Amino acid sequence: MDALTLFLEKGVPPEKTFFFPTFRDPFDVAASWKRMWNWEWDDFPFDSFRESMVITLDTMDKAKKNDIAVVPYVHDFLRDFDPKVVISRMFSLVDLPFSENVVDWNSDDNDPYFAGKIVKYDIPPDEWVRGALGKDKGGRGALVWRPTSQEHELSSEIKDLLTKKVPEVFEGYKQTSAYAKELLRL
């Protein structure tokens, strides 16, 4: 679904719109997809993997051409920089107030996910949601970066396969990460 076009066609003013596309190390994404859906490498959806990057980059370009603020969220920055700095700078670029609850939701006893304060289009699987919950619900309780678990880490052969099968994904990640790092002054 092309949500950006829907917003623009409905008359949402570009100056009141912003786009936070999400990026993550492609090896970690591939490992996550494989783990979440129990794929083997011979049935891994390489075309969908590639297309997800292409669609995201195309949407970024379209947003910029329509004078919509684009601020990429690169999850791996949370590994390299203070999450509060990363997210507060993202918010600052689009003139939104920053609250520490955005990066540390465990400090609030009223978990927004279970309190009905989040609009959900469906009920995601527990495995998918778990990391985004407060610690008392089994989640992380904060916006954090964690490495791929050792049991799901990709071998050098699989990494070679991925870089050969979907080079666009790696190039898109590299370019967007550099752009976001400069934009956020990290």
Side-chain angles (χ1 to χ4, degrees), residues 27 39 90 95 103 111 157:
F27 293 130
W39 285 314
M90 288 178 69
D95 223 12
V103 294
D111 189 319
E157 292 83 13

Side-chain angles (χ1 to χ4, degrees), residues 39-178:
W39 285 314
E40 295 302 324
W41 292 111
D42 59 346
D43 64 354
F44 188 83
F46 292 102
D47 289 339
S48 295
F49 195 47
R50 177 186 305 103
E51 192 64 17
S52 67
M53 178 62 78
V54 169
I55 289 170
T56 302
L57 295 175
D58 287 350
T59 304
M60 286 175 61
D61 288 342
K62 183 177 184 173
K64 288 176 185 179
K65 287 176 184 168
N66 282 281
D67 296 320
I68 292 171
V70 175
V71 183
Y73 167 76
V74 180
H75 186 64
D76 308 293
F77 286 176
L78 303 185
R79 172 193 60 213
D80 303 328
F81 307 102
D82 181 340
K84 291 175 187 167
V85 170
V86 173
I87 303 302
S88 67
R89 288 184 183 178
M90 288 178 69
F91 277 37
S92 177
L93 287 170
V94 296
D95 223 12
L96 283 176
F98 173 74
S99 166
E100 289 198 20
N101 288 336
V102 174
V103 294
D104 180 6
W105 51 85
N106 208 52
S107 61
D108 184 358
D109 293 332
N110 192 8
D111 189 319
Y113 185 82
F114 288 101
K117 294 180 182 177
I118 295 175
V119 176
K120 305 172 210 80
Y121 63 91
D122 66 359
I123 300 174
D126 181 58
E127 174 92 15
W128 190 82
V129 172
R130 193 175 307 135
L133 302 177
K135 288 181 181 177
D136 64 334
K137 300 282 195 253
R140 294 184 188 118
L143 188 59
V144 296
W145 178 90
R146 288 193 177 154
T148 300
S149 66
Q150 192 172 18
E151 70 180 285
H152 298 292
E153 188 136 336
L154 304 180
S155 68
S156 58
E157 292 83 13
I158 295 299
K159 287 181 176 183
D160 286 343
L161 172 72
L162 284 164
T163 56
K164 289 177 182 153
K165 296 256 305 168
V166 288
E168 308 87 346
V169 173
F170 291 90
E171 187 57 33
Y173 175 79
K174 179 181 170 187
Q175 289 177 359
T176 304
S177 294

Side-chain angles (χ1 to χ4, degrees), residues 15 17 64 179:
E15 65 275 5
T17 307
K64 288 176 185 179
Y179 169 72

